[in-house]
Amino acid sequence: MGEGPVSLSLRGISKRFGQVKAVDGIDLSVGQDEFLSLLGPSGSGKTTLLRIIAGLELPDRGTVVVGGQDVTRQPPYRRKIGMVFQNFLLFPHKTVAENIIFPLRMQRASREECVERLGWALNLLKLKGLEARYPNQLSGGQQQRVSLARGLISRPTLLLLDEPLANLDRELRAEMEVEIRRYQKELRIPFIYVTHNQEEALTMSDRIAVMRNGVFEQIAPRVEVYQKPATAFVASFVGQSNHLLGKVMQCAAGQLVIDWKGRELTVPCNETLGAGEAVRFMIKHEDVQLRAMGRASRDQAAFNRLKGKLRDIIFKGQTANFILEIDNGCELIASGSLRDTDVRAGDSVLVEWPQTAGVCFRDKP
Ligand code: ATP
């Protein structure tokens, strides 16, 4: 569970569309002060789950409890839940102010309340001075802020966001990621954020639920999802990893010795595996260290160490990817700063990483 008292709880939520199990028995508790992301590839069930929480879709099974009340059969407008969508959905013929207060008008709020809430929203979302403009007179970021203001205007107990930054350019997206997290921390209401973008989820969330085929593969604090992925799917979806396919040579408590195409590696593992079983060891690019020949780190025992050749350097600005050909004929990628590495393409190099780094799973066919 997340931070603070429970604000939303889902119990055994399932939804089918014909043969497709879009959501398959999801249980979830979201804390009052929590930013939770639903992260997963296209078709994993994120939007369906969000729509069930909002009341736009009825589950086949399970209950939705908001603020202690079972709202499973309540229509969306009774749930006090705000929503923000990818394509903003602003009314083109209404001004910014009219767009923002639209939900209050639907609730027949008083004029005083509309004015008071509008002032609050314009202030929070830095939209002062823009209230008389029309959506087509705004930048993408401003339009998204209007859409956020509209989602927040009627004091929702929970805000749902469905890929709200997908249509913005990279720089603006990075700026909005930080802002949206700040709004959530200021307002102290839970935000549930749907995305297939791991960077967004890692930047903003307290916890991340990684979805696949309608179920949660892992739900955990963001750092844990990144550093201790529970499954091979999560490990390949979050972060940039090398996948090393090998065979178990020895299995001891929490550790395996594996044969990776003729090279022996010691790797961490939580499963009990037998000799000869096929495994997939995943090590993040940034965990693979590159050293010029003859400059290996001193602690011989605690590292996996391999010889290879640096084939290419892919420069990415702050970091670079080093494409390596290991002497067993396999490729590995290391990433790091060019400044810290005095190697060139064509050099013979040593490659190493701590024996505690990476994750290893039984390789399922
Ligand atoms: P995306 O990131 O592409 O939006 P998603 O993770 O949000 O994907 P959903 O939109 O929830 O996934 O879809 C989950 C599954 O349910 C998909 O296989 C999708 O084709 C199916 N699905 C969703 N809505 C409907 C519908 N109204 N009718 C039939 N099938 C649907």
Side-chain angles (χ1 to χ4, degrees):
M1 226 284 298
E3 295 163 41
V6 176
S7 235
L8 166 77
S9 113
L10 303 179
R11 296 185 204 128
I13 295 287
S14 294
K15 178 77 187 175
R16 257 178 190 277
F17 294 106
Q19 293 302 306
V20 179
K21 282 184 184 167
V23 175
D24 192 9
I26 292 270
D27 293 308
L28 172 67
S29 292
V30 183
Q32 200 178 348
D33 191 16
E34 189 175 21
F35 199 125
L36 175 85
S37 286
L38 304 178
L39 173 68
S42 185
S44 55
K46 309 177 297 288
T47 297
T48 304
L49 188 59
L50 207 71
R51 288 172 58 80
I52 289 171
I53 298 169
L56 299 168
E57 202 80 69
L58 195 65
D60 300 331
R61 249 176 297 137
T63 49
V64 181
V65 178
V66 177
Q69 255 203 325
D70 185 341
V71 298
T72 317
R73 302 208 160 257
Q74 277 187 7
Y77 61 88
R78 288 276 197 79
R79 297 190 180 198
K80 295 207 78 183
I81 292 177
M83 274 206 87
V84 181
F85 300 92
Q86 176 177 346
N87 35 12
F88 314 150
L89 299 179
L90 300 178
F91 300 110
H93 304 300
K94 288 186 190 292
T95 63
V96 165
E98 288 163 349
N99 264 289
I100 293 176
I101 61 166
F102 183 75
L104 289 181
R105 285 239 188 278
M106 296 303 286
Q107 293 167 11
R108 303 193 186 288
S110 68
R111 202 183 132 67
E112 293 73 45
E113 188 179 2
C114 288
V115 171
E116 190 266 313
R117 293 299 293 163
L118 178 63
W120 171 84
L122 292 172
N123 206 16
L124 177 75
L125 289 135
K126 295 189 277 182
L127 288 166
K128 270 193 175 153
L130 302 177
E131 48 272 51
R133 290 210 198 160
Y134 289 89
N136 67 359
Q137 297 171 317
L138 299 175
S139 71
Q142 288 163 338
Q143 288 184 46
Q144 192 47 275
R145 282 207 283 269
V146 173
S147 147
L148 270 164
R150 192 177 55 186
L152 291 168
I153 194 85
S154 49
R155 297 189 175 84
T157 52
L158 175 68
L159 188 71
L160 307 177
L161 304 101
D162 194 355
E163 307 240 16
L165 307 183
N167 289 338
L168 303 181
D169 66 49
R170 200 186 158 89
E171 208 172 306
L172 191 53
R173 216 167 53 207
E175 212 176 281
M176 290 295 293
E177 284 169 10
V178 177
E179 277 191 36
I180 291 178
R181 182 170 164 87
R182 184 168 58 80
Y183 302 142
Q184 192 270 323
K185 294 299 163 211
E186 267 175 47
L187 294 167
R188 302 182 71 91
I189 59 166
F191 279 24
I192 301 183
Y193 191 99
V194 160
T195 182
H196 60 258
N197 181 324
Q198 54 151 323
E199 279 173 34
E200 264 179 32
L202 290 168
T203 306
M204 288 191 277
S205 322
D206 297 310
R207 272 193 310 165
I208 299 176
V210 182
M211 279 192 88
R212 182 194 197 193
N213 298 333
V215 299
F216 290 163
E217 286 262 321
Q218 183 173 15
I219 173 161
R222 56 183 169 177
V223 175
E224 194 175 321
V225 168
Y226 190 81
Q227 290 179 345
K228 292 189 182 137
T231 65
F233 175 79
V234 176
S236 57
F237 202 73
V238 180
Q240 307 285 323
S241 293
N242 294 287
H243 291 232
L244 281 55
L245 301 179
K247 285 221 166 2
V248 176
M249 296 167 72
Q250 279 173 47
C251 183
Q255 221 175 37
L256 293 177
V257 179
I258 64 169
D259 169 38
W260 174 52
K261 311 277 190 247
R263 296 293 170 274
E264 205 173 286
L265 304 173
T266 302
V267 302
C269 185
N270 293 325
E271 293 181 84
T272 306
L273 298 168
E277 281 202 75
V279 286
R280 179 178 294 259
F281 172 62
M282 281 169 270
I283 179 93
K284 293 221 161 64
H285 293 174
E286 72 261 26
D287 287 337
V288 178
Q289 300 290 313
L290 196 60
R291 303 196 188 280
M293 274 301 195
R295 290 179 53 186
S297 54
R298 267 178 239 144
D299 188 353
Q300 294 291 325
F303 283 80
N304 288 301
R305 193 163 288 124
L306 299 163
K307 285 181 190 159
K309 232 184 190 39
L310 178 59
R311 236 196 295 125
D312 202 1
I313 300 176
I314 313 292
F315 184 54
K316 297 184 148 211
Q318 280 181 338
T319 59
N321 277 355
F322 302 93
I323 317 292
L324 302 149
E325 190 176 318
I326 303 302
D327 65 0
N328 62 355
C330 296
E331 185 182 283
L332 264 192
I333 300 176
S335 74
S337 162
L338 262 187
R339 246 179 295 160
D340 306 335
T341 321
D342 54 355
V343 287
R344 290 164 194 234
D347 283 0
S348 292
V349 289
L350 277 179
V351 174
E352 58 181 25
W353 64 85
Q355 291 178 353
T356 49
V359 284
C360 192
F361 300 98
R362 179 180 282 118
D363 193 37
K364 292 174 193 141

